Amino acid sequence: MILVTGGCGYIGSHCAVELLKNNKDILIIDDLSNSDYQSIRNIKLISNKNVEFIHGDITDIDVLNDCFSQNNIESVFHFAGKKSISESYKDPLSYFSTNVKGTINLIESMQKYDVNNIIFSSSATVYGSDYPLPWKEDLILNMPHNPYAKSKLMSENILKSYLSTNQNFSIGILRYFNPIGFHSSGLLEDKVLGSSNLVPSIISYLLKNIQFLPVYGDNYDTKDGSGVRDYIHIIDLIEGHLKAYEYTKKNKGCFVWNLGSGEGFSVFEIIKKFEELLDMKFDLRVLPRREGDLAEYWADISKANRELNWYPEKDINNMVKNILAFFEIKKENN
Ligand code: NAD
Ligand code: UD1
């Protein structure tokens, strides 16, 4: 059985569905702090399979120990965590508690119950801002500035340090760039819509929940002044997890892979793609830059190509079409 921490959230719920599709038994642990029980119902509905669920907090080691002692767990996919850069400036301790303490607890419990395989959700933000693009996994990283990125880099380092004490351990560290898009059922991500990320903002704007689309900064040193990111479709991202899992089951050690598309698109470019497909003009408002936002970054994905035979299939046009299909479903249900 695979333990999926944070399996009710955006990325974890997509992964849960794919694992079930691949006939893996899964147990989800989630404290529902950024999701709700409806996720479990929807995962069951989409996969037509049963899912074990524990409503629990990974910062509580007793909860984890119970979870490992009562179930036959062979691997962990570790998604549970907090993910907002701006929130992490306001409440750094909760970021270190959930992301770092939660990860330490998990390793301790895994050690106690002899579970030796983990796939860890890291982030492109661990690269900070000091390196030439595209970012490669073998860069020696300085501690990044924002507390969220710090918590992810600290967790990576803790996992790597633990490896030296346990030669049977294998770790897949996946540095996500910007995951976007939705499951074709449209059932998996209500909470995403409440966030201030670019795609949720666009959907909120199209649903008329907000009157204008904010653009956070148009004077960056980028191709058109707006922020540039590497967007990766959620289903491609999850495929990367399944391949990383197979790899780490065959190879002991710690492996780091970037999961992105390898290309950077600006905020204005993304908006234009939506405008073209919808044949409409968006009402944009340029607002000040968000704290902690970098101007631009994208991934070198040749390591994941080579070692995992992982190649993202959906390009930016497919991603925008997929998001619009999701929007249509939401509009009907609105
Ligand atoms: P999400 O918030 O949708 O999902 C995280 C899940 O973890 C939620 O269901 C939440 O309730 C749960 N959770 C939070 N704290 C918990 C705790 N203490 N105990 C148990 N469950 C807890 O986020 P997501 O977008 O699915 O991200 C998953 C992981 O990927 C996170 O670790 C995040 O930092 C990382 N990540 C996300 C992105 C992104 O853009 N979405 C990018 C890079 C990395
Ligand atoms: C996201 C994640 C972060 C993750 C990182 C990986 C959040 C809050 N952030 O950050 O956890 O580690 O990817 O790379 O989940 N923008 C607008 N208008 C909007 C919203 C966004 O102009 O309404 C701009 C931003 O300024 C940025 C770009 O769009 O230039 C992308 O922003 P966003 O979707 O929030 O993702 P990141 O901040 O890159």
Side-chain angles (χ1 to χ4, degrees), residues 83-84 123-125 148 176-178 196-198 201 214-216 227 229 231 267 290 293 297:
K83 63 170 178 178
S84 159
S123 163
T125 55
Y148 166 69
Y176 309 158
F177 281 66
N178 283 53
S196 63
N197 295 112
L198 182 59
S201 279
V215 175
Y216 297 121
R229 295 290 183 273
Y231 296 93
V267 173
R290 286 189 314 195
D293 265 4
Y297 54 86

Side-chain angles (χ1 to χ4, degrees), residues 289-306:
R289 296 175 179 191
R290 286 189 314 195
E291 186 177 17
D293 265 4
L294 297 183
E296 58 178 3
Y297 54 86
W298 56 92
D300 181 320
I301 56 168
S302 55
K303 187 165 183 274
N305 292 161
R306 198 173 56 246

Side-chain angles (χ1 to χ4, degrees), residues 26-237:
I26 64 168
L27 163 65
I28 289 177
I29 180 166
D30 200 302
D31 68 354
L32 304 180
S33 55
N34 197 34
S35 51
D36 52 49
Y37 188 73
Q38 190 57 37
S39 272
I40 297 291
R41 291 192 200 102
N42 289 341
I43 292 166
K44 286 183 183 169
L45 190 68
I46 295 166
S47 63
N48 205 18
K49 299 237 168 85
N50 189 38
V51 179
E52 301 292 330
F53 174 64
I54 294 174
H55 183 190
D57 181 346
I58 59 160
T59 63
D60 183 342
I61 185 95
D62 294 335
V63 170
L64 284 176
N65 284 338
D66 284 351
C67 174
F68 281 96
S69 68
Q70 288 164 19
N71 296 281
N72 187 16
I73 296 167
E74 49 106 348
S75 291
V76 178
F77 281 54
H78 179 28
F79 297 100
K82 289 175 166 283
K83 63 170 178 178
S84 159
I85 293 168
S86 51
E87 188 186 57
S88 78
Y89 281 105
K90 292 177 200 130
D91 187 10
L93 291 186
S94 76
Y95 273 70
F96 293 120
S97 175
T98 303
N99 294 359
V100 181
K101 186 175 174 221
T103 302
I104 294 173
N105 281 352
L106 203 50
I107 305 169
E108 268 180 28
S109 244
M110 290 173 75
Q111 181 179 39
K112 189 165 180 187
Y113 293 96
D114 198 25
V115 179
N116 288 314
N117 183 260
I118 184 167
I119 302 296
F120 174 64
S121 298
S122 190
S123 163
T125 55
V126 297
Y127 289 105
S129 55
D130 299 337
Y131 306 100
L133 293 163
W135 288 338
K136 287 185 79 144
E137 294 88 341
D138 59 4
L139 288 165
I140 309 290
L141 301 178
N142 299 322
M143 193 46 88
H145 185 255
N146 74 71
Y148 166 69
K150 278 187 180 133
S151 75
K152 286 292 175 185
L153 189 56
M154 286 162 80
S155 300
E156 285 194 10
N157 288 332
I158 290 163
L159 282 161
K160 282 179 202 163
S161 299
Y162 172 64
L163 182 71
S164 63
T165 69
N166 179 352
Q167 307 306 317
N168 290 324
F169 210 60
S170 59
I171 309 163
I173 291 175
L174 303 180
R175 292 184 181 153
Y176 309 158
F177 281 66
N178 283 53
I180 59 171
F182 301 100
H183 188 267
S184 53
S185 65
L187 286 174
L188 286 182
E189 36 262 310
D190 281 342
K191 290 282 175 202
V192 167
L193 292 179
S195 83
S196 63
N197 295 112
L198 182 59
V199 168
S201 279
I202 291 174
I203 295 175
S204 295
Y205 173 74
L206 292 173
L207 288 171
K208 300 191 172 38
N209 295 338
I210 51 176
Q211 301 313 307
F212 59 84
L213 185 66
V215 175
Y216 297 121
D218 67 348
N219 57 358
Y220 283 109
D221 185 16
T222 58
K223 49 185 146 183
D224 58 20
S226 65
V228 171
R229 295 290 183 273
D230 178 334
Y231 296 93
I232 173 82
H233 192 269
I234 182 79
I235 300 298
D236 282 324
L237 186 90

